[in-house]
Amino acid sequence: MAGRRKIYGSSSVPRYKAKMYDYLSRGGRIPMVLTMEVVDAMGEAWGSGFFSYKDDRDDAIAKAFEEKTDIPHIYGGLAKALLMRVMKLAKRKGMTYDEALESVVDENNLPDGDPVRSLLEEAVEKLKNTERERGSSGTKT
């Protein structure tokens, strides 16, 4: 049975806040005023961190498909998942994007010429270019 495809839109942050309010306020553990301050802060942090990460990933994959027109779009999901892994390694482990890419390629035994590897390499280049243009200093490139 297939799961629901997650779509993030204008109602995502309010739904997240409602879930966090429900969780934090159960049993009257925390007064409503304090709970709402915490929920608002959590919602802002979740929305700003998640959506910028997701947008960067999606833009890099879309640009990679523009360059690699011969690769079927069925490989997009795999490339997105592996690009998320590359981004996580770069951000949390302090690796460069190239080191993180090499690690992911080795972990998944992606040979030269593999369509997913080709998309991933192109997406990483696009991601590095985007960060250079932005002047980002979040990760080493």
Side-chain angles (χ1 to χ4, degrees):
M1 183 163 137
R4 174 177 81 85
R5 182 171 184 208
K6 293 180 182 178
I7 299 173
Y8 302 96
S10 61
S11 67
S12 296
V13 173
R15 283 184 292 134
Y16 175 78
K17 286 182 173 183
K19 289 177 184 178
M20 288 301 100
Y21 177 77
D22 181 52
Y23 172 72
L24 292 172
S25 66
R26 282 198 182 134
R29 295 183 294 209
I30 303 173
M32 183 178 150
V33 174
L34 294 175
T35 303
M36 287 312 299
E37 285 184 31
V38 170
V39 167
D40 288 339
M42 290 171 74
E44 287 174 26
W46 181 80
S48 65
F50 174 77
F51 286 109
S52 64
Y53 180 77
K54 179 186 175 300
D55 290 345
D56 289 347
R57 180 206 64 192
D58 290 348
D59 289 345
I61 292 293
K63 289 176 184 176
F65 270 118
E66 288 174 8
E67 294 293 321
K68 305 286 184 177
T69 57
D70 57 328
I71 297 177
H73 282 266
I74 195 164
Y75 294 111
L78 292 170
K80 278 184 184 181
L82 293 176
L83 184 59
M84 286 175 58
R85 175 80 175 131
V86 168
M87 293 170 76
K88 181 179 177 181
L89 288 172
K91 186 171 185 170
R92 294 195 181 150
K93 301 285 185 184
M95 296 178 165
T96 65
Y97 281 120
D98 293 329
E99 292 168 343
L101 174 63
E102 193 60 38
S103 175
V104 168
V105 165
D106 289 344
E107 285 174 10
N108 294 283
N109 299 320
L110 297 174
D112 286 335
D114 183 83
V116 175
R117 180 177 178 164
S118 181
L119 268 179
L120 192 57
E121 290 169 344
E122 189 66 35
V124 167
E125 285 303 314
K126 300 300 180 190
L127 193 59
K128 289 183 343 186
N129 291 341
T130 300
E131 287 198 2
R132 265 190 231 112
E133 290 169 5
R134 231 189 256 157
S136 175
S137 60
T139 59
K140 301 180 282 183
T141 52

